[in-house]
Amino acid sequence: GESVGLHLPTLSVQEGDNSIINCAYSNSASDYFIWYKQESGKGPQFIIDIRSNMDKRQGQRVTVLLNKTVKHLSLQIAATQPGDSAVYFCAETRGGYNKLIFGAGTRLAVHP
Amino acid sequence: DVKVTQSSRYLVKRTGEKVFLECVQDMDHENMFWYRQDPGLGLRLIYFSYDVKMKEKGDIPEGYSVSREKKERFSLILESASTNQTSMYLCASLRPGSSYEQYFGPGTRLTVT
């Protein structure tokens, strides 16, 4: 069935390094993808989005790459900081009413 | 800034109790959503509403109902709480047409004993 999943449940990086969080999706009809960040004790917060007609989109210190051929999405964080420590979710659109399907999440741990 | 608030951060209820979780958004958004979040499962959609008094089932509606009497308020109801409904509950809202970005509340951690 349709699903959004993640390759790595936990990612540990050194402060200052670049982080890459991966996500696989199975619905080739999805036309919109979002990355959310969830800090401890808070609700998910929007980071960046990308439409299916794009391969890459950049924000502040973050870049999302979309490879439709292999149905793969990644979030790159440059110069990772302790404040980036959180759980990251990818999500894809499905059906009407702006519904989203979320992946299981990846925990990013940033070490000094 | 969009603000989505949830009535309680932590809630402890007993099996069989009727539980109300309240969500309020202040940005006049048409669409509102209720999710539950469990470790390793991500966020799963319980119910959503696209207008006042309108509701649609999500992926896991069993054991839940919802109410939307006013545009800014979306309530999740557990008719008879069970231990397998112990979870983090997240509310979100969205204005259709702007983007698919959903704005989330801080969550309510419900424990059913």
Side-chain angles (χ1 to χ4, degrees):
Chain A
E2 297 173 359
S3 65
V4 175
L6 292 169
H7 296 305
L8 298 173
T10 304
L11 178 64
S12 294
V13 300
Q14 292 293 121
E15 182 178 354
D17 287 352
N18 297 333
S19 303
I20 300 175
I21 301 171
N22 297 302
C23 178
Y25 65 94
S26 59
N27 184 5
S28 57
S30 293
D31 62 359
Y32 186 86
F33 303 87
I34 302 181
W35 281 99
Y36 279 93
K37 173 186 180 183
Q38 186 177 27
E39 296 175 274
S40 180
K42 297 182 179 179
Q45 184 178 18
F46 172 89
I47 302 173
I48 193 168
D49 57 5
I50 188 168
R51 293 196 176 273
S52 60
N53 61 355
M54 302 171 67
D55 297 322
K56 179 179 180 179
R57 191 166 187 216
Q58 288 185 293
Q60 188 175 14
R61 280 202 308 118
V62 294
T63 301
V64 56
L65 299 177
L66 177 62
N67 185 332
K68 294 181 285 294
T69 302
V70 295
K71 297 192 201 123
H72 184 268
L73 190 68
S74 68
L75 177 70
Q76 300 180 359
I77 304 174
T80 312
Q81 301 169 359
D84 295 325
S85 294
V87 176
Y88 290 81
F89 294 95
C90 64
E92 62 175 318
T93 56
R94 179 188 66 172
Y97 302 114
N98 308 104
K99 289 186 290 183
L100 295 173
I101 298 178
F102 286 82
T106 292
R107 181 174 300 280
L108 177 65
V110 183
H111 303 286
Chain B
D1 284 346
V2 176
K3 193 168 185 181
V4 180
T5 57
Q6 295 183 228
S7 52
S8 304
R9 293 301 304 273
Y10 300 94
L11 211 53
V12 180
K13 296 291 182 180
R14 294 192 174 182
T15 301
E17 280 193 80
K18 191 169 185 176
V19 182
F20 292 87
L21 302 182
E22 306 286 342
C23 175
V24 177
Q25 50 94 3
D26 65 358
M27 287 301 293
D28 201 37
H29 285 175
E30 287 82 357
N31 293 17
M32 297 187 73
F33 306 82
W34 273 108
Y35 296 88
R36 64 177 283 175
Q37 181 178 16
D38 300 289
L41 297 178
L43 280 68
R44 293 180 291 166
L45 183 63
I46 305 171
Y47 265 98
F48 66 99
S49 169
Y50 53 91
D51 203 349
V52 175
K53 297 189 184 295
M54 307 303 288
K55 59 185 180 184
E56 292 285 340
K57 293 180 179 179
D59 298 316
I60 51 165
E62 296 78 19
Y64 303 94
S65 62
V66 289
S67 173
R68 190 143 181 227
E69 297 297 317
K70 294 183 178 181
K71 192 174 187 179
E72 67 271 17
R73 187 181 298 271
F74 191 34
S75 303
L76 180 69
I77 304 156
L78 286 66
E79 295 290 341
S80 178
S82 62
T83 54
N84 63 13
Q85 292 178 309
T86 292
S87 187
M88 171 68 82
Y89 290 88
L90 289 162
C91 174
S93 74
L94 170 150
R95 174 177 287 122
S98 58
S99 75
Y100 289 92
E101 179 185 351
Q102 295 182 14
Y103 295 85
F104 283 86
T108 295
R109 184 165 293 283
L110 172 67
T111 301
V112 182
T113 61

